[in-house]
Amino acid sequence: MSSKLQRPQAPSAEAQLSIPASMVEEFRSVCRDAWKQGLLSGCNGNASRRLGSHAPGTVCITRSGTAKGRITPADCCLMDIGTGATLLGGPASSESGMHLAIYRARPDCDAILHTHPRRLLALSLRMAGRQEDFLRLPLFEAEVWRAKLGFSPALPPGTTDLANAVAMAAASKDAVWMAGHGLCCLGRTLADALCLAEELEHLAALQILATV
């Protein structure tokens, strides 16, 4: 029998990573609120959150095909912001490249919510590409919220072109309207990002009602 002691193996990088239960609850709560309001439906949209100061280069993001109104811990995965590698769980959302590009462009951004708001989408169809008229209303709050909105051209979802275009617009705006696609909102928390999406969706409803 060998008398040599076995050196204990260090835990793998994946074993040391985990998603805090509080973060999963934040995803579940915010995405369900967005789903209830018609900002999300079925499996569309996605959400992400920086993991925190203990792992500043890591982001938690919803998995591909996740029903956002019924998120569980298994519906979230971890990715490296710098390399784009999946560190835990997966496969990540098809729009993960867009999230990572935004985080690289906006170090102050801690959370991203990408929704498909039905009223904003309906308004964009009615506006027929007239970006200058989008959410233009003679209301004090309209200009406050519209000033936070940037625009991205119509590009195929999940592509590098879309990710780069949205990240460029997000460099100076906290919300980006993706023509023919949906809305991307940034915040310190997912709740902040949802609040911004709600305000813009509310303005879209008012503009639709005012132009009937």
Side-chain angles (χ1 to χ4, degrees), residues 87-133:
L87 305 175
L88 182 70
S93 166
S94 60
E95 296 289 7
S96 60
M98 179 180 71
H99 288 249
L100 299 180
I102 293 172
Y103 285 120
R104 294 174 194 134
R106 289 285 300 271
D108 61 319
C109 170
D110 290 325
I112 299 169
L113 181 64
H114 166 210
T115 59
H116 292 205
R118 60 184 64 168
R119 294 178 182 86
L120 278 162
L121 283 164
L123 179 63
S124 70
L125 295 175
R126 180 173 290 187
M127 292 287 99
R130 300 197 311 275
Q131 180 176 306
E132 66 279 5
D133 297 328

Side-chain angles (χ1 to χ4, degrees), residues 34-49:
W35 177 73
K36 286 180 176 179
Q37 296 179 70
L39 298 170
L40 294 167
S41 60
C43 297
N44 68 27
N46 31 75
S48 67
R49 184 84 152 83

Side-chain angles (χ1 to χ4, degrees), residues 9-19 51 54 78 86-89:
Q9 291 186 341
S12 66
E14 181 169 306
Q16 296 179 56
L17 286 171
S18 64
I19 303 171
L51 206 59
H54 63 290
L78 299 180
T86 299
L87 305 175
L88 182 70

Side-chain angles (χ1 to χ4, degrees), residues 38-200:
L39 298 170
L40 294 167
S41 60
C43 297
N44 68 27
N46 31 75
S48 67
R49 184 84 152 83
R50 288 188 193 269
L51 206 59
S53 57
H54 63 290
T58 306
V59 65
C60 179
I61 187 166
T62 48
R63 293 177 73 250
S64 177
T66 296
K68 309 309 179 299
R70 298 177 290 278
I71 283 182
T72 69
D75 294 320
C76 300
C77 61
L78 299 180
M79 298 187 73
D80 185 286
I81 295 174
T83 66
T86 299
L87 305 175
L88 182 70
S93 166
S94 60
E95 296 289 7
S96 60
M98 179 180 71
H99 288 249
L100 299 180
I102 293 172
Y103 285 120
R104 294 174 194 134
R106 289 285 300 271
D108 61 319
C109 170
D110 290 325
I112 299 169
L113 181 64
H114 166 210
T115 59
H116 292 205
R118 60 184 64 168
R119 294 178 182 86
L120 278 162
L121 283 164
L123 179 63
S124 70
L125 295 175
R126 180 173 290 187
M127 292 287 99
R130 300 197 311 275
Q131 180 176 306
E132 66 279 5
D133 297 328
F134 199 61
L135 302 184
R136 288 285 186 201
L137 292 164
L139 301 170
F140 292 115
E141 64 269 24
E143 281 307 308
V144 171
W145 294 109
R146 194 183 190 281
K148 298 178 181 291
L149 184 64
F151 295 88
S152 165
L155 294 165
T159 62
T160 300
D161 287 343
L162 178 64
N164 291 338
V166 174
M168 184 178 298
S172 59
K173 300 290 184 178
D174 288 338
V176 180
W177 178 253
M178 295 167 279
H181 189 177
L183 179 68
C184 191
C185 289
L186 289 60
R188 288 290 185 181
T189 65
L190 282 173
D192 289 343
L194 174 60
C195 181
L196 179 51
E198 290 170 335
E199 292 286 0
L200 295 170

